[in-house]
Amino acid sequence: MSTNQFTYEDVAKHSSDSDCWMVVRGNVYDVTKFLDEHPGGEEIMLEVAGKDATEQYNDVGHSTDADEIMKKFLVGSLHPDSKKPEPQPSEAGMLDSCCIA
């Protein structure tokens, strides 16, 4: 297992289709090379690129095979002192300020 530790800020720098990292269950994965192979399509992965995708990963109910595949993309773990960023209003399902009457 990798001993590299990253912060949420580190992971957030990798949020594109050419450089896609995500956090799942406290581990950091570089899934860039897997985007084209993901059964659900790359778009779904890009929605959580650079973020903690644990909730989305667990909600889908990925198989143990998926867990095994993920091991190939492990680059490290989340630093224990790293604080998860507060969700933006649009991420939390709230109306943008421009739309409130």
Side-chain angles (χ1 to χ4, degrees):
M1 181 175 221
S2 178
T3 59
N4 295 325
Q5 290 190 329
F6 301 96
T7 64
Y8 281 108
E9 292 78 20
D10 296 329
V11 175
K13 295 174 187 174
H14 306 273
S15 60
S16 70
D17 62 352
S18 62
D19 185 20
C20 183
W21 289 21
M22 62 183 61
V23 176
V24 176
R25 301 178 187 148
N27 290 315
V28 179
Y29 299 91
D30 178 353
V31 295
T32 309
K33 293 180 180 177
F34 186 66
L35 291 175
D36 291 338
E37 299 173 34
H38 187 258
E42 75 177 54
E43 296 82 17
I44 197 77
M45 292 184 71
L46 291 173
E47 288 178 13
V48 291
K51 301 175 187 173
D52 190 326
T54 302
E55 184 176 343
Q56 292 85 346
Y57 187 88
N58 290 340
D59 284 351
V60 170
H62 283 90
S63 67
T64 54
D65 289 342
D67 292 337
E68 285 299 314
I69 291 169
M70 289 289 285
K71 290 179 182 180
K72 295 189 293 189
F73 303 103
L74 181 69
V75 292
S77 62
L78 198 59
H79 191 282
D81 294 334
S82 184
K83 302 286 187 224
K84 190 172 183 177
E86 293 294 321
Q88 298 299 313
S90 60
E91 293 175 344
M94 298 173 67
L95 293 175
D96 291 330
S97 60
C98 69
C99 302
I100 299 174

